[in-house]
Amino acid sequence: MSQIINKKQENRAAWWVALACLVVPMFASYFFDDIFSTLSQLFKNPELLELGWDSADYGFYAGGYSFLCVCGGLIVCGILLDFFGVRLIGSIFVGLMLLGAGIVTFAITAGFAPKTSLSIAYVGCMLFGLGSEIAGIAVTRSIAKWFKGRNVAFAMALQLAIARLGTAVAFVLSPVLVSQKAAGEMYSLAETARPAFVGLSLILAGAVLWSVFVVMDYKFDKRTGEGEQKGSVKDEDQFRFSDILKLVVNPRFIMVALLCMFFYCCITSFKKFGTAIVIPRFGMDIDFAKWVITMIPFFTVVFSPLFGALVDKKGKATSWMILGSVLVLIAHLLLAFGPQGKPFYGYLAIAILGVGFSLVPAAMWPSVPKIVPEKNLGTAFSLLYWIQNIGLLSVPILVGNIFKNMIVESGNVAQEAAAAVHAEYLFISLAVVAIVVAVSLYCSSRRHPELSLDEPARQ
């Protein structure tokens, strides 16, 4: 009996060691993606940056994360992941994530002309983005495999929470690494690249731990008799192009996809320029602003699991989606029209934004399996991420150009505040569309009660 208990304890320890190996690459990915988010105000004064990028350049760079994903890389590589398994394809794309981050770091430290460094960094960001997205899918699939029947929901929630902590740490740490200078002082390449070096080191550590997981996963398959060889997927679960056609004519799927795109653009794209908006609008300094923007990921870490449990227990998923979208609209209205120079209203807006960002995903993602057959879920999530990345590619470019075109005099607070308000007009428009889509999904759920979109989870 004691041998059986010891064996179970060893297996349980192996599960959590495997999870630890999986969460670090995602933490590092989220960190590197947001290394400049709480430094976005620096790009309003490119003459003070040895790097030489302006706000439009930064917006262009930030959109590079989604370029290859939008061009079909996400769907194609998702199919490869299904066909060849997470060990091979996951390793390739964790490596691609590391390569992309390395190229970005090289580009912003090598002393190239601004347009040259931007072009090289954009290529690196494209590779990093595709690598991160596919690595994320590989991590999710691996958790589902290892924790099947044993706390899989908790393991996935914990992985997401730790990953979003990567964003929070980047928000807080980047301004510390790139300390604020006196007016008129130049930021050197070495100073602006410090967050990138930290992020690159974290990704390298994540890649090492991923390789440890690969060895563990190989032993896991040998012990359980599973395998990842080509053709191991059951015939009925094999990818077929007809599955895409079935999804794109499914109105509920299209509504979820549109909600995903417009809603996430209101949050993810906003975070890229968060400090550039709240500092001139509410008279905050960088130290206070970074903590205010950091509330967004911290709120999701705390509230997402709670809201998920609420949706499981009470149902009404489409109603929660509407409420979350309305909260995001209220937040952006406060950011645009709250009293100028009053930090309280910026704090309140970001708090509301964080709650809305926690609520909608908690209701939206569990709805997908209710409207898509189980064998098509992989294709469905690939398409959802692809559509989402269309928005994440374009919106940062639009916001960056708003700042570039409206700020013609460096350090002019009135111009910076006006640019922030005009950027908020874009986010308000996106939030309104998200509400319309959420209401449409609510009405569709009422017309099709057989889908059980608004039913509680079975106990």
Side-chain angles (χ1 to χ4, degrees):
M1 176 65 73
S2 61
Q3 290 180 343
I4 295 175
I5 294 174
N6 289 337
K7 187 67 173 179
K8 288 182 178 179
Q9 291 176 339
E10 289 176 6
N11 289 339
R12 189 175 294 113
W15 302 336
W16 297 111
V17 171
L19 182 62
C21 292
L22 292 170
V23 299
V24 174
M26 291 299 96
F27 176 93
S29 169
Y30 276 58
F31 180 95
F32 194 89
D33 186 38
D34 279 304
I35 55 175
F36 290 132
S37 292
T38 45
L39 299 173
S40 58
Q41 74 283 351
L42 297 181
F43 298 105
K44 294 184 294 187
N45 303 301
E47 69 279 1
L48 300 180
L49 292 173
E50 188 178 352
L51 182 62
W53 293 3
D54 59 28
S55 293
D57 294 331
Y58 169 60
F60 177 74
Y61 161 79
Y65 180 98
S66 300
F67 182 82
L68 292 177
C69 299
V70 170
C71 290
L74 188 58
I75 297 174
V76 172
C77 296
I79 297 169
L80 293 176
L81 189 65
D82 283 338
F83 197 69
F84 291 104
V86 297
R87 288 200 296 269
L88 175 60
I89 302 301
S91 297
I92 291 173
F93 285 94
V94 169
L96 190 66
M97 184 169 68
L98 178 61
L99 174 63
I103 292 174
V104 171
T105 305
F106 167 74
I108 63 178
T109 56
F112 296 120
K115 294 304 179 185
T116 303
S117 67
L118 178 63
S119 299
I120 297 173
Y122 190 81
V123 172
C125 194
M126 288 193 303
L127 298 176
F128 167 77
L130 183 60
S132 296
E133 292 291 303
I134 300 301
I137 296 173
V139 165
T140 301
R141 285 190 52 180
S142 297
I143 292 174
K145 171 184 172 181
W146 273 70
F147 286 83
K148 184 177 181 180
R150 37 179 116 87
N151 305 114
V152 63
F154 174 75
M156 287 187 175
L158 184 61
Q159 185 274 134
L160 180 60
I162 294 174
R164 287 180 173 173
L165 278 177
T167 292
V169 172
F171 283 179
V172 174
L173 186 59
S174 289
V176 175
L177 295 172
V178 186
S179 56
Q180 191 172 13
K181 290 181 174 291
E185 285 192 59
M186 178 75 69
Y187 289 85
S188 69
L189 291 176
E191 288 174 310
T192 53
R194 285 171 187 165
F197 278 113
V198 173
L200 182 62
S201 300
L202 288 171
I203 293 174
L204 181 59
V208 172
L209 288 176
W210 172 265
S211 66
V212 173
F213 169 77
V214 168
V215 175
M216 294 180 66
D217 193 59
Y218 175 76
K219 293 180 178 178
F220 178 89
D221 282 351
K222 288 191 68 175
R223 186 172 67 250
T224 60
E226 297 183 18
E228 284 206 327
Q229 68 275 13
K230 178 179 176 180
S232 63
V233 180
K234 295 179 181 179
D235 181 67
E236 63 267 24
D237 293 332
Q238 290 277 8
F239 170 82
R240 295 182 176 88
F241 284 101
S242 60
D243 293 338
I244 296 179
L245 298 177
K246 292 176 183 177
L247 290 172
V248 297
V249 297
N250 183 332
R252 264 73 58 190
F253 176 80
I254 295 301
M255 292 176 196
V256 170
L258 292 175
L259 178 61
C260 180
M261 178 174 69
F262 289 110
F263 178 82
Y264 273 90
C265 284
C266 290
I267 312 291
T268 305
S269 299
F270 167 79
K271 289 189 300 181
K272 300 293 184 184
F273 294 89
T275 54
I277 290 174
V278 299
I279 287 175
R281 279 288 291 118
F282 302 108
M284 300 178 184
D285 59 30
I286 180 60
D287 287 331
F288 187 72
K290 74 180 181 184
W291 286 109
V292 171
I293 299 301
T294 303
M295 289 170 56
I296 298 174
F298 275 138
F299 267 55
T300 62
V301 169
V302 174
F303 288 109
S304 290
L306 297 178
F307 288 146
L310 178 65
V311 172
D312 279 339
K313 185 175 182 179
K314 299 295 185 181
K316 303 185 182 300
T318 56
S319 297
W320 297 122
M321 293 182 216
I322 294 173
L323 177 59
S325 300
V326 169
L327 288 174
V328 168
L329 174 61
I330 292 172
H332 282 296
L333 287 171
L334 281 172
L335 288 166
F337 302 113
Q340 179 74 25
K342 302 291 184 179
F344 168 78
Y345 292 93
Y347 179 88
L348 177 63
I350 297 302
I352 295 172
L353 195 67
V355 174
F357 188 35
S358 303
L359 186 52
V360 171
M364 180 175 65
W365 294 116
S367 298
V368 177
K370 296 182 178 181
I371 60 178
V372 176
E374 183 177 355
K375 74 184 187 73
N376 294 336
L377 280 177
T379 304
F381 280 114
S382 293
L383 279 172
L384 285 173
Y385 293 146
W386 176 68
I387 293 170
Q388 179 190 46
N389 275 277
I390 293 175
L392 299 182
L393 170 66
S394 55
V395 172
I397 297 174
L398 295 174
V399 176
N401 276 283
I402 289 173
F403 278 100
K404 179 181 179 180
N405 294 332
M406 295 196 66
I407 301 175
V408 296
E409 182 182 348
S410 177
N412 189 312
V413 177
Q415 291 179 357
E416 292 177 359
V421 171
H422 279 76
E424 279 301 320
Y425 291 160
L426 174 59
F427 291 121
I428 289 169
S429 301
L430 293 170
V432 169
V433 176
I435 293 172
V436 172
V437 175
V439 171
S440 300
L441 186 59
Y442 170 85
C443 295
S444 181
S445 175
R446 293 285 178 171
R447 292 193 299 269
H448 297 274
E450 72 278 4
L451 295 175
S452 301
L453 282 178
D454 290 312
E455 295 298 318
R458 292 193 182 103
Q459 300 299 319

